[in-house]
Amino acid sequence: MQYSDKVMDHFLHPRNVGEIEDASGVGEVGNAKCGDIMKIFLDVEDDIIKDVKFQTFGCGSAIASSSMATELIKGKSIHEALALTNKAVAEALDGLPPVKMHCSVLAEQAIKAALVDYAQKNNIEIPELEGFEPDHDHDHGVEDED
């Protein structure tokens, strides 16, 4: 399987690894059956993501996707973070093999799950997240369109 230089860089030198104590929001997605589990921690102040950390158990593409996704939302508003798609994560990594696209989907979903947690903790409504449910049975064999 051929990986881009950016995927390899974010896998070998992941950014924002760790945990934020007393995080504003925490989201965990994944499936132990396939071995990819992502946990995203957000520190939000005045609707801006001041800091973001991740812990990922999974393959190199999962770690690279987590790393890139955190880089793409750090310093952004909640609504800018909500606009992040798995395709944007994959494009920022200069592509992922089709069988690994689910890793970018997990990164997008982990961010949304953390924002759901943030909204619940702060009793606020984020209309874009209404009805959001992470996909725990993601498909490894097809490219996701979301």
Side-chain angles (χ1 to χ4, degrees):
M1 203 171 305
Q2 187 68 32
Y3 292 105
S4 72
D5 289 342
K6 279 191 184 176
V7 170
M8 292 305 298
D9 182 42
H10 277 267
F11 167 61
L12 295 171
H13 311 285
R15 284 68 152 177
N16 306 309
V17 174
E19 185 175 344
I20 297 174
E21 283 196 34
D22 301 320
S24 305
V26 179
E28 185 173 336
V29 298
N31 184 327
K33 275 192 296 190
C34 78
D36 294 321
I37 300 171
M38 288 183 190
K39 195 169 189 178
I40 299 276
F41 302 84
L42 300 176
D43 179 19
V44 180
E45 288 178 34
D46 301 323
D47 285 343
I48 301 295
I49 298 169
K50 297 291 186 189
D51 197 11
V52 56
K53 301 275 187 216
F54 78 91
Q55 295 176 331
T56 293
F57 178 83
C59 66
S61 294
I63 292 166
S65 292
S66 301
S67 175
M68 180 57 81
T70 61
E71 286 286 279
L72 292 170
I73 67 166
K74 195 173 198 175
K76 304 284 195 227
S77 72
I78 287 172
H79 293 287
E80 287 173 309
L82 282 169
L84 182 68
T85 65
N86 73 295
K87 285 186 176 178
V89 173
E91 286 172 11
L93 289 168
D94 291 337
L96 286 170
V99 73
K100 295 295 183 177
M101 280 301 288
H102 70 278
C103 295
S104 63
V105 172
L106 283 176
E108 176 188 341
Q109 290 188 343
I111 290 165
K112 287 181 177 173
L115 288 168
V116 166
D117 185 51
Y118 166 74
Q120 290 170 345
K121 286 179 178 175
N122 292 280
N123 202 24
I124 59 173
E125 233 177 85
I126 303 176
E128 298 95 328
L129 291 173
E130 202 161 303
F132 167 74
E133 281 293 323
D135 176 13
H136 293 292
D137 294 320
H138 57 274
D139 188 346
H140 288 247
V142 294
E143 187 172 330
D144 292 280
E145 292 297 323
D146 293 356

